[in-house]
């Protein structure tokens, strides 16, 4: 009997220590990603016990540690702000849950700032449905003192982005300007393991993701675009952007949350939903558009601004955008 050759799985910590040696653009990014991973590990435990905590709470009992384990969007936000502050490399964090940017410090080594959706799809938390966290990462230029102006930089200037899905497994996807790497949490060792590496969108689009219940609110060309997708692809819609995006990245697909007649800018947020996922999809060979322009080219005006989002396989995004603008 011959034994199959085996290779040791590569851990996140091993990847981070060697990924960007000598590349100044990413100096300190290993510490930032490492803290995101630590925050994600903490939150995935809370996600898995959130509903149970509700039940325990209503019976008036308390868990053995005597702590309340319920998870809220705000608690997730606090956890990541704390983790990113601790790593010493982040100057400021914008969060969906906090009205104004959290300033951490402008020391010489604090050369990144972040925008995050700490819990995406949080209305699914009690339903055992996948949710996640999303991060966009920009580099602080020079050593000038912090001003809010720093933060209003377009997505094209991101140097990295990441997201986590708390699903049937916990996955962490990291992207820099040259790659998209997938990691999966091994619940036994507590380590993130590199898989799948070097992610690229499959060339074939297999599904579309949209809230079909909004159909009547859409303008004619957008209805036409959605009808075209419906006629060609399978519908898959989780209702957590990050989970829908992750499936489409692995299987090939398009996600769209267009503007409608009542909400022309749609629902999703530019800085911490569209920009990070737009960055990742482009590194993976796909595209992200607002319907009128490339997501990453939008000049932000405020932290919590919304944008329509059409994201996924490039050819299908382009065709959908063309139909939405009245073309064929
Ligand atoms: P969040 O939980 O961060 O507020 O985001 C919810 C978003 C997004 O995850 C998802 O794609 C979208 O809401 C779903 O909206 P609909 O329920 O309108 O389809
Ligand atoms: Mn969200
Ligand atoms: Mn959120």
């Amino acid at each position: 009997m011959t034994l199959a050759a085996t290779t040791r799985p590569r851990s996140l910590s091993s990847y981070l220590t060697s990924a960007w040696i000598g590349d100044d653009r990413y100096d300190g990014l290993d510490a930032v990603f490492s803290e995101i991973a630590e925050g994600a590990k903490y939150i995935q435990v809370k996600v898995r016990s959130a509903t149970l905590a509700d039940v325990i709470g209503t019976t008036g009992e308390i868990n053995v540690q005597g702590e309340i384990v319920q998870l809220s969007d705000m608690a997730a936000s606090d956890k990541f702000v704390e983790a990113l502050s601790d790593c010493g490399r982040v100057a400021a964090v914008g969060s969906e849950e906090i009205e104004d940017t959290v300033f951490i410090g402008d020391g010489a080594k604090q050369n990144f700032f972040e925008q995050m959706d700490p819990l995406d799809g949080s209305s699914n938390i009690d339903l055992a449905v996948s949710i996640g966290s999303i991060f966009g990462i920009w580099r602080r230029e020079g050593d000038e003192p912090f001003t809010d102006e720093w933060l209003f930089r377009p997505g094209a200037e991101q140097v990295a982005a990441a997201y986590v899905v708390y699903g049937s497994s916990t996955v962490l996807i990291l992207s820099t300007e040259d790659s998209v790497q997938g990691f999966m949490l091994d619940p036994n060792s507590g380590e993130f393991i590199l898989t799948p590496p070097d992610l690229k969108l499959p060339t074939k689009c297999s599904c579309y993701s949209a809230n079909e219940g909004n159909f009547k609110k859409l303008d004619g060309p957008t209805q036409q675009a959605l009808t075209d997708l419906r006629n060609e692809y399978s519908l898959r819609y989780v209702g957590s952007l990050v989970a829908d995006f992750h499936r489409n990245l692995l299987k090939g697909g398009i996600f769209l949350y267009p503007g409608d007649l009542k909400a022309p800018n749609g629902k999703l947020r530019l800085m911490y939903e569209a920009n990070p996922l737009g960055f990742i999809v482009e590194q993976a060979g796909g595209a992200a558009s607002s319907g009128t322009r490339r997501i990453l080219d939008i000049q932000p005006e405020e932290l919590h601004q919304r944008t329509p989002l059409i994201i996924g396989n490039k050819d299908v995004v382009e065709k959908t955008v063309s139909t939405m603008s009245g073309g064929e």
Side-chain angles (χ1 to χ4, degrees):
M1 189 176 76
T2 51
L3 289 174
T6 54
T7 47
R8 268 175 88 78
R10 189 152 184 218
S11 67
L12 175 67
S13 45
S14 145
Y15 175 80
L16 291 178
T17 48
S18 58
W20 311 290
I21 291 171
D23 190 335
D24 287 348
R25 286 175 303 172
Y26 302 128
D27 173 43
L29 188 62
D30 52 335
V32 177
F33 277 157
S34 204
E35 289 300 334
I36 288 175
E38 286 309 307
K41 277 198 241 176
Y42 172 90
I43 285 167
Q44 65 95 23
V45 172
K46 300 288 185 197
V47 166
R48 302 202 191 292
S49 45
T51 309
L52 186 59
D54 280 347
V55 173
I56 292 168
T58 54
T59 59
E61 290 174 32
I62 228 151
N63 65 338
V64 279
Q65 285 80 27
E67 61 179 6
I68 293 172
V69 290
Q70 195 173 5
L71 180 67
S72 65
D73 301 77
M74 194 62 216
S77 179
D78 287 348
K79 181 66 194 174
F80 280 119
V81 169
E82 182 192 308
L84 295 168
S85 306
D86 285 350
C87 84
R89 303 307 300 246
V90 176
V93 182
S95 165
E96 181 184 10
E97 302 308 320
I98 304 174
E99 192 173 343
D100 296 318
T101 303
V102 180
F103 171 66
I104 296 171
D106 51 12
K109 285 206 162 282
Q110 289 166 298
N111 51 353
F112 294 102
F113 59 89
E114 298 215 22
Q115 302 281 357
M116 67 174 175
D117 180 350
L119 217 50
D120 175 66
S122 55
S123 63
N124 279 328
I125 193 169
D126 293 336
L127 310 174
V129 171
S130 298
I131 59 177
S133 306
I134 310 174
F135 305 86
I137 303 172
W138 285 255
R139 205 177 165 83
R140 173 186 165 204
E141 297 302 342
D143 56 2
E144 75 272 31
F146 174 76
T147 66
D148 264 347
E149 300 308 305
W150 280 10
L151 304 171
F152 297 126
R153 305 222 328 246
E157 294 182 19
Q158 288 169 106
V159 291
Y163 68 83
V164 184
V165 180
Y166 314 103
S168 54
S169 53
T170 298
V171 297
L172 170 64
I173 305 296
L174 305 181
S175 179
T176 51
E177 280 169 280
D178 25 48
S179 77
V180 183
Q181 307 291 346
F183 296 86
M184 187 175 288
L185 183 64
D186 173 356
N188 296 313
S189 67
E191 270 196 301
F192 279 100
I193 303 297
L194 180 60
T195 181
D198 299 317
L199 272 162
K200 289 284 171 209
L201 263 164
T203 46
K204 188 174 172 301
C205 176
S206 62
C207 59
Y208 78 104
S209 311
N211 185 336
E212 285 275 2
N214 290 338
F215 189 82
K216 280 191 184 156
K217 294 191 231 161
L218 304 175
D219 64 24
T222 307
Q223 286 186 338
Q224 184 58 53
L226 198 50
T227 303
D228 292 348
L229 292 170
R230 192 185 301 147
N231 287 336
E232 197 159 349
Y233 305 110
S234 297
L235 168 64
R236 296 284 183 272
Y237 193 67
V238 173
S240 301
L241 168 66
V242 72
D244 280 309
F245 178 84
H246 184 63
R247 183 205 45 252
N248 293 357
L249 178 65
L250 263 54
K251 299 288 182 192
I254 179 170
F255 173 99
L256 60 161
Y257 209 115
D260 62 41
L261 300 170
K262 278 201 180 139
N265 288 325
K267 176 180 185 185
L268 300 175
R269 310 293 183 144
L270 173 66
M271 295 307 280
Y272 38 79
E273 292 182 316
N275 268 339
L277 299 184
F279 179 89
I280 293 168
V281 86
E282 287 199 6
Q283 308 311 321
S289 169
S290 69
T292 53
R293 56 193 313 191
R294 178 183 176 223
I295 286 289
L296 301 186
D297 286 339
I298 297 173
Q299 175 58 50
E301 279 159 16
E302 52 149 337
L303 190 55
H304 300 288
Q305 81 188 64
R306 296 177 197 271
T307 178
L309 178 64
I310 301 104
I311 186 166
N313 282 71
K314 193 163 190 255
D315 54 338
V316 186
V317 167
E318 282 169 359
K319 186 163 179 261
T320 300
V321 167
S322 162
T323 308
M324 284 171 65
S325 57
E328 277 310 299

